[in-house]
Short mmCIF file of all heavy atoms in Angstrom, two decimals:
data_model
loop_
_atom_site.label_atom_id
_atom_site.label_comp_id
_atom_site.label_asym_id
_atom_site.label_seq_id
_atom_site.Cartn_x
_atom_site.Cartn_y
_atom_site.Cartn_z
N GLY A 223 112.08 85.52 88.02
CA GLY A 223 112.96 86.41 88.78
C GLY A 223 112.44 87.82 88.90
O GLY A 223 113.02 88.64 89.61
N LYS A 224 111.34 88.12 88.24
CA LYS A 224 110.77 89.47 88.31
C LYS A 224 109.86 89.66 89.53
O LYS A 224 109.74 90.75 90.05
CB LYS A 224 109.99 89.79 87.03
CG LYS A 224 110.88 89.87 85.81
CD LYS A 224 110.09 90.18 84.56
CE LYS A 224 111.01 90.19 83.36
NZ LYS A 224 110.29 90.49 82.13
N ARG A 225 109.22 88.59 89.96
CA ARG A 225 108.32 88.66 91.12
C ARG A 225 109.08 88.31 92.39
O ARG A 225 110.01 87.50 92.37
CB ARG A 225 107.16 87.68 90.94
CG ARG A 225 106.26 88.04 89.79
CD ARG A 225 105.17 87.00 89.50
NE ARG A 225 104.48 86.54 90.68
CZ ARG A 225 104.57 85.29 91.18
NH1 ARG A 225 105.32 84.39 90.61
NH2 ARG A 225 103.91 84.96 92.26
N MET A 226 108.66 88.91 93.50
CA MET A 226 109.28 88.62 94.79
C MET A 226 108.19 88.22 95.78
O MET A 226 107.19 88.90 95.93
CB MET A 226 110.02 89.84 95.32
CG MET A 226 111.21 90.23 94.50
SD MET A 226 112.12 91.58 95.28
CE MET A 226 113.26 91.98 93.98
N THR A 227 108.43 87.07 96.41
CA THR A 227 107.51 86.57 97.44
C THR A 227 108.35 86.03 98.60
O THR A 227 109.57 86.06 98.55
CB THR A 227 106.60 85.43 96.91
OG1 THR A 227 107.37 84.24 96.80
CG2 THR A 227 105.95 85.79 95.58
N PHE A 228 107.68 85.53 99.59
CA PHE A 228 108.37 84.90 100.72
C PHE A 228 108.49 83.40 100.53
O PHE A 228 108.77 82.67 101.48
CB PHE A 228 107.64 85.23 102.03
CG PHE A 228 107.63 86.71 102.32
CD1 PHE A 228 106.47 87.44 102.25
CD2 PHE A 228 108.81 87.37 102.62
CE1 PHE A 228 106.47 88.80 102.49
CE2 PHE A 228 108.83 88.73 102.86
CZ PHE A 228 107.65 89.45 102.80
N GLY A 229 108.31 82.91 99.30
CA GLY A 229 108.39 81.49 99.02
C GLY A 229 107.18 80.77 99.59
O GLY A 229 106.39 81.33 100.36
N LYS A 230 107.02 79.52 99.20
CA LYS A 230 105.84 78.75 99.63
C LYS A 230 105.73 78.67 101.14
O LYS A 230 104.67 78.91 101.72
CB LYS A 230 105.86 77.36 99.02
CG LYS A 230 105.64 77.38 97.53
CD LYS A 230 105.70 76.00 96.93
CE LYS A 230 105.54 76.09 95.42
NZ LYS A 230 105.72 74.81 94.76
N GLY A 231 106.82 78.34 101.80
CA GLY A 231 106.79 78.21 103.26
C GLY A 231 106.56 79.54 103.96
O GLY A 231 105.78 79.62 104.91
N GLY A 232 107.23 80.57 103.50
CA GLY A 232 107.07 81.89 104.11
C GLY A 232 105.68 82.45 103.91
O GLY A 232 105.09 83.02 104.83
N GLU A 233 105.15 82.27 102.70
CA GLU A 233 103.79 82.76 102.44
C GLU A 233 102.77 81.99 103.27
O GLU A 233 101.81 82.57 103.80
CB GLU A 233 103.45 82.66 100.95
CG GLU A 233 104.25 83.59 100.05
CD GLU A 233 103.94 85.07 100.20
OE1 GLU A 233 102.92 85.43 100.85
OE2 GLU A 233 104.72 85.88 99.69
N ALA A 234 102.98 80.69 103.44
CA ALA A 234 102.08 79.88 104.28
C ALA A 234 102.16 80.35 105.73
O ALA A 234 101.12 80.48 106.41
CB ALA A 234 102.43 78.40 104.16
N SER A 235 103.36 80.62 106.21
CA SER A 235 103.52 81.12 107.59
C SER A 235 102.83 82.46 107.76
O SER A 235 102.18 82.72 108.77
CB SER A 235 105.00 81.27 107.94
OG SER A 235 105.64 80.03 107.96
N LEU A 236 102.98 83.32 106.75
CA LEU A 236 102.35 84.64 106.81
C LEU A 236 100.83 84.51 106.79
O LEU A 236 100.13 85.20 107.54
CB LEU A 236 102.84 85.51 105.65
CG LEU A 236 102.27 86.92 105.58
CD1 LEU A 236 102.47 87.68 106.88
CD2 LEU A 236 102.90 87.68 104.41
N THR A 237 100.32 83.64 105.95
CA THR A 237 98.87 83.41 105.90
C THR A 237 98.36 82.97 107.27
O THR A 237 97.33 83.45 107.75
CB THR A 237 98.51 82.38 104.82
OG1 THR A 237 98.89 82.92 103.55
CG2 THR A 237 97.04 82.03 104.82
N GLN A 238 99.07 82.06 107.90
CA GLN A 238 98.65 81.58 109.23
C GLN A 238 98.74 82.71 110.25
O GLN A 238 97.86 82.87 111.09
CB GLN A 238 99.49 80.39 109.67
CG GLN A 238 99.01 79.77 110.97
CD GLN A 238 97.58 79.27 110.87
OE1 GLN A 238 97.27 78.46 109.99
NE2 GLN A 238 96.70 79.74 111.74
N TRP A 239 99.82 83.50 110.20
CA TRP A 239 99.97 84.61 111.13
C TRP A 239 98.81 85.59 110.97
O TRP A 239 98.23 86.05 111.96
CB TRP A 239 101.31 85.33 110.91
CG TRP A 239 101.55 86.39 111.93
CD1 TRP A 239 102.20 86.26 113.11
CD2 TRP A 239 101.10 87.76 111.88
NE1 TRP A 239 102.18 87.46 113.80
CE2 TRP A 239 101.52 88.40 113.06
CE3 TRP A 239 100.38 88.50 110.94
CZ2 TRP A 239 101.25 89.74 113.33
CZ3 TRP A 239 100.11 89.84 111.21
CH2 TRP A 239 100.54 90.43 112.39
N MET A 240 98.44 85.88 109.72
CA MET A 240 97.32 86.79 109.48
C MET A 240 96.01 86.20 109.98
O MET A 240 95.18 86.92 110.55
CB MET A 240 97.24 87.14 108.00
CG MET A 240 98.39 88.02 107.54
SD MET A 240 98.36 88.37 105.77
CE MET A 240 96.91 89.44 105.66
N ALA A 241 95.81 84.91 109.78
CA ALA A 241 94.58 84.27 110.27
C ALA A 241 94.48 84.38 111.78
O ALA A 241 93.40 84.57 112.34
CB ALA A 241 94.54 82.81 109.83
N ASP A 242 95.62 84.29 112.45
CA ASP A 242 95.64 84.35 113.91
C ASP A 242 95.61 85.77 114.47
O ASP A 242 95.16 85.98 115.59
CB ASP A 242 96.91 83.67 114.45
CG ASP A 242 96.94 82.18 114.18
OD1 ASP A 242 95.88 81.58 113.90
OD2 ASP A 242 98.06 81.61 114.23
N ASN A 243 96.08 86.74 113.69
CA ASN A 243 96.32 88.08 114.26
C ASN A 243 95.69 89.27 113.53
O ASN A 243 95.65 90.36 114.10
CB ASN A 243 97.83 88.34 114.33
CG ASN A 243 98.51 87.37 115.24
OD1 ASN A 243 98.44 87.47 116.45
ND2 ASN A 243 99.18 86.37 114.66
N ALA A 244 95.29 89.10 112.30
CA ALA A 244 94.79 90.25 111.53
C ALA A 244 93.29 90.15 111.32
O ALA A 244 92.77 89.12 110.89
CB ALA A 244 95.51 90.31 110.18
N LEU A 245 92.61 91.21 111.61
CA LEU A 245 91.16 91.28 111.42
C LEU A 245 90.84 92.36 110.40
O LEU A 245 91.55 93.35 110.28
CB LEU A 245 90.47 91.60 112.73
CG LEU A 245 90.70 90.62 113.88
CD1 LEU A 245 90.07 91.14 115.16
CD2 LEU A 245 90.14 89.25 113.52
N VAL A 246 89.74 92.19 109.70
CA VAL A 246 89.31 93.15 108.69
C VAL A 246 87.90 93.60 109.01
O VAL A 246 87.05 92.79 109.40
CB VAL A 246 89.31 92.51 107.28
CG1 VAL A 246 88.74 93.47 106.25
CG2 VAL A 246 90.71 92.09 106.89
N CYS A 247 87.67 94.88 108.86
CA CYS A 247 86.30 95.41 108.96
C CYS A 247 86.17 96.54 107.95
O CYS A 247 87.17 97.06 107.45
CB CYS A 247 85.99 95.88 110.37
SG CYS A 247 86.95 97.29 110.91
N TRP A 248 84.95 96.92 107.64
CA TRP A 248 84.75 98.00 106.69
C TRP A 248 83.39 98.63 106.91
O TRP A 248 82.54 98.08 107.61
CB TRP A 248 84.87 97.51 105.24
CG TRP A 248 83.85 96.49 104.85
CD1 TRP A 248 82.59 96.72 104.38
CD2 TRP A 248 84.02 95.08 104.90
NE1 TRP A 248 81.96 95.53 104.14
CE2 TRP A 248 82.81 94.51 104.44
CE3 TRP A 248 85.05 94.24 105.29
CZ2 TRP A 248 82.63 93.14 104.35
CZ3 TRP A 248 84.87 92.88 105.19
CH2 TRP A 248 83.66 92.34 104.73
N ILE A 249 83.26 99.79 106.31
CA ILE A 249 81.97 100.46 106.28
C ILE A 249 81.68 100.82 104.83
O ILE A 249 82.61 101.05 104.05
CB ILE A 249 81.93 101.74 107.17
CG1 ILE A 249 83.00 102.73 106.74
CG2 ILE A 249 82.08 101.38 108.63
CD1 ILE A 249 82.89 104.07 107.44
N GLU A 250 80.42 100.84 104.47
CA GLU A 250 80.05 101.16 103.10
C GLU A 250 79.99 102.68 102.94
O GLU A 250 79.41 103.38 103.77
CB GLU A 250 78.69 100.55 102.76
CG GLU A 250 78.74 99.04 102.67
CD GLU A 250 77.43 98.45 102.20
OE1 GLU A 250 76.78 99.06 101.32
OE2 GLU A 250 77.06 97.39 102.72
N ARG A 251 80.59 103.17 101.88
CA ARG A 251 80.57 104.59 101.54
C ARG A 251 80.43 104.71 100.03
O ARG A 251 81.02 103.93 99.29
CB ARG A 251 81.87 105.28 101.96
CG ARG A 251 82.15 105.28 103.45
CD ARG A 251 81.16 106.14 104.21
NE ARG A 251 81.39 107.54 104.00
CZ ARG A 251 81.75 108.40 104.91
NH1 ARG A 251 81.94 107.97 106.15
NH2 ARG A 251 81.93 109.66 104.63
N SER A 252 79.69 105.71 99.58
CA SER A 252 79.54 105.89 98.13
C SER A 252 80.83 106.37 97.48
O SER A 252 81.10 106.06 96.33
CB SER A 252 78.40 106.87 97.84
OG SER A 252 78.67 108.12 98.44
N GLU A 253 81.66 107.12 98.22
CA GLU A 253 82.95 107.59 97.71
C GLU A 253 84.04 107.28 98.75
O GLU A 253 84.54 108.17 99.43
CB GLU A 253 82.89 109.09 97.42
CG GLU A 253 81.90 109.44 96.31
CD GLU A 253 81.82 110.93 96.05
OE1 GLU A 253 82.20 111.74 96.92
OE2 GLU A 253 81.37 111.28 94.95
N PRO A 254 84.40 106.01 98.86
CA PRO A 254 85.32 105.60 99.93
C PRO A 254 86.69 106.25 99.85
O PRO A 254 87.37 106.39 100.87
CB PRO A 254 85.42 104.08 99.75
CG PRO A 254 84.99 103.83 98.35
CD PRO A 254 84.01 104.90 98.00
N TRP A 255 87.13 106.66 98.68
CA TRP A 255 88.44 107.29 98.54
C TRP A 255 88.54 108.59 99.32
O TRP A 255 89.60 108.94 99.81
CB TRP A 255 88.78 107.51 97.06
CG TRP A 255 87.69 108.20 96.32
CD1 TRP A 255 87.50 109.56 96.20
CD2 TRP A 255 86.62 107.58 95.61
NE1 TRP A 255 86.37 109.81 95.46
CE2 TRP A 255 85.81 108.62 95.08
CE3 TRP A 255 86.27 106.27 95.37
CZ2 TRP A 255 84.67 108.37 94.32
CZ3 TRP A 255 85.14 106.03 94.62
CH2 TRP A 255 84.35 107.06 94.10
N ASN A 256 87.43 109.28 99.50
CA ASN A 256 87.44 110.51 100.31
C ASN A 256 87.70 110.17 101.78
O ASN A 256 88.49 110.83 102.44
CB ASN A 256 86.13 111.27 100.16
CG ASN A 256 85.95 111.86 98.78
OD1 ASN A 256 86.93 112.18 98.11
ND2 ASN A 256 84.72 111.99 98.36
N LEU A 257 87.03 109.16 102.28
CA LEU A 257 87.23 108.75 103.67
C LEU A 257 88.64 108.20 103.87
O LEU A 257 89.27 108.47 104.88
CB LEU A 257 86.19 107.72 104.08
CG LEU A 257 86.28 107.20 105.52
CD1 LEU A 257 86.14 108.35 106.52
CD2 LEU A 257 85.24 106.14 105.77
N GLU A 258 89.13 107.44 102.90
CA GLU A 258 90.47 106.87 103.02
C GLU A 258 91.51 107.97 103.20
O GLU A 258 92.34 107.91 104.11
CB GLU A 258 90.80 106.04 101.79
CG GLU A 258 92.19 105.42 101.86
CD GLU A 258 92.53 104.60 100.63
OE1 GLU A 258 91.85 104.72 99.59
OE2 GLU A 258 93.51 103.84 100.71
N SER A 259 91.48 108.98 102.37
CA SER A 259 92.43 110.08 102.48
C SER A 259 92.31 110.79 103.82
O SER A 259 93.31 111.14 104.45
CB SER A 259 92.21 111.09 101.35
OG SER A 259 92.48 110.49 100.11
N GLN A 260 91.10 110.98 104.27
CA GLN A 260 90.86 111.64 105.55
C GLN A 260 91.41 110.80 106.71
O GLN A 260 92.09 111.32 107.59
CB GLN A 260 89.35 111.87 105.74
CG GLN A 260 89.00 112.54 107.04
CD GLN A 260 87.48 112.67 107.19
OE1 GLN A 260 86.71 112.34 106.32
NE2 GLN A 260 87.08 113.14 108.35
N LEU A 261 91.15 109.51 106.70
CA LEU A 261 91.63 108.63 107.77
C LEU A 261 93.16 108.57 107.80
O LEU A 261 93.77 108.63 108.87
CB LEU A 261 91.05 107.23 107.63
CG LEU A 261 89.55 107.10 107.87
CD1 LEU A 261 89.07 105.71 107.54
CD2 LEU A 261 89.21 107.48 109.30
N ILE A 262 93.77 108.47 106.63
CA ILE A 262 95.23 108.41 106.57
C ILE A 262 95.84 109.68 107.13
O ILE A 262 96.86 109.63 107.82
CB ILE A 262 95.71 108.13 105.13
CG1 ILE A 262 95.35 106.69 104.73
CG2 ILE A 262 97.22 108.34 105.01
CD1 ILE A 262 95.56 106.38 103.26
N SER A 263 95.23 110.81 106.86
CA SER A 263 95.80 112.07 107.34
C SER A 263 95.56 112.30 108.84
O SER A 263 96.33 113.00 109.48
CB SER A 263 95.22 113.25 106.54
OG SER A 263 93.86 113.45 106.85
N GLN A 264 94.53 111.67 109.40
CA GLN A 264 94.16 111.96 110.79
C GLN A 264 94.54 110.87 111.79
O GLN A 264 94.67 111.15 112.98
CB GLN A 264 92.65 112.21 110.89
CG GLN A 264 92.24 113.48 110.17
CD GLN A 264 90.73 113.69 110.22
OE1 GLN A 264 89.99 112.86 110.73
NE2 GLN A 264 90.29 114.79 109.65
N LEU A 265 94.70 109.65 111.34
CA LEU A 265 94.97 108.55 112.26
C LEU A 265 96.42 108.10 112.15
O LEU A 265 97.09 108.35 111.15
CB LEU A 265 94.05 107.37 111.96
CG LEU A 265 92.56 107.61 112.11
CD1 LEU A 265 91.77 106.39 111.68
CD2 LEU A 265 92.21 108.02 113.52
N ASN A 266 96.89 107.40 113.15
CA ASN A 266 98.21 106.81 113.12
C ASN A 266 98.09 105.43 112.47
O ASN A 266 97.71 104.46 113.12
CB ASN A 266 98.79 106.70 114.53
CG ASN A 266 100.18 106.12 114.53
OD1 ASN A 266 100.87 106.12 113.52
ND2 ASN A 266 100.60 105.62 115.68
N LEU A 267 98.40 105.36 111.17
CA LEU A 267 98.29 104.12 110.41
C LEU A 267 99.69 103.76 109.88
O LEU A 267 100.01 103.98 108.72
CB LEU A 267 97.30 104.30 109.25
CG LEU A 267 95.90 104.73 109.67
CD1 LEU A 267 95.05 105.11 108.47
CD2 LEU A 267 95.23 103.64 110.48
N PRO A 268 100.53 103.21 110.74
CA PRO A 268 101.94 103.04 110.39
C PRO A 268 102.23 102.07 109.25
O PRO A 268 103.29 102.16 108.63
CB PRO A 268 102.56 102.52 111.70
CG PRO A 268 101.43 101.90 112.43
CD PRO A 268 100.22 102.70 112.07
N LEU A 269 101.33 101.16 108.94
CA LEU A 269 101.60 100.20 107.87
C LEU A 269 101.22 100.73 106.50
O LEU A 269 101.53 100.12 105.49
CB LEU A 269 100.87 98.88 108.13
CG LEU A 269 101.21 98.18 109.44
CD1 LEU A 269 100.51 96.83 109.49
CD2 LEU A 269 102.70 98.03 109.62
N ASN A 270 100.55 101.86 106.45
CA ASN A 270 100.13 102.44 105.19
C ASN A 270 101.19 103.42 104.70
O ASN A 270 101.49 104.40 105.37
CB ASN A 270 98.79 103.18 105.39
CG ASN A 270 98.08 103.38 104.08
OD1 ASN A 270 97.33 102.53 103.65
ND2 ASN A 270 98.35 104.50 103.43
#
């Protein structure tokens, strides 16, 4: 009761939705936390 998820079916649906709709990309940086803070402050990142 301490953990919260969308249940087996909901998590499976979410996994499929992400496979169909979510893409990931990245760039290598020696200090990525600096770039992360900069991007969050300058871009419209509504899910963050």
Side-chain angles (χ1 to χ4, degrees):
K224 294 180 182 180
R225 295 174 46 248
M226 293 185 189
T227 75
F228 298 111
K230 291 178 183 174
E233 293 291 348
S235 295
L236 180 54
T237 297
Q238 186 60 56
W239 185 91
M240 290 177 69
D242 294 341
N243 297 284
L245 301 174
V246 175
C247 66
W248 63 86
I249 58 172
E250 291 186 37
R251 298 292 287 244
S252 60
E253 296 179 340
W255 51 87
N256 292 331
L257 180 60
E258 180 180 16
S259 295
Q260 180 183 355
L261 291 173
I262 290 170
S263 70
Q264 294 177 357
L265 298 176
N266 182 19
L267 303 170
L269 302 185
N270 200 88

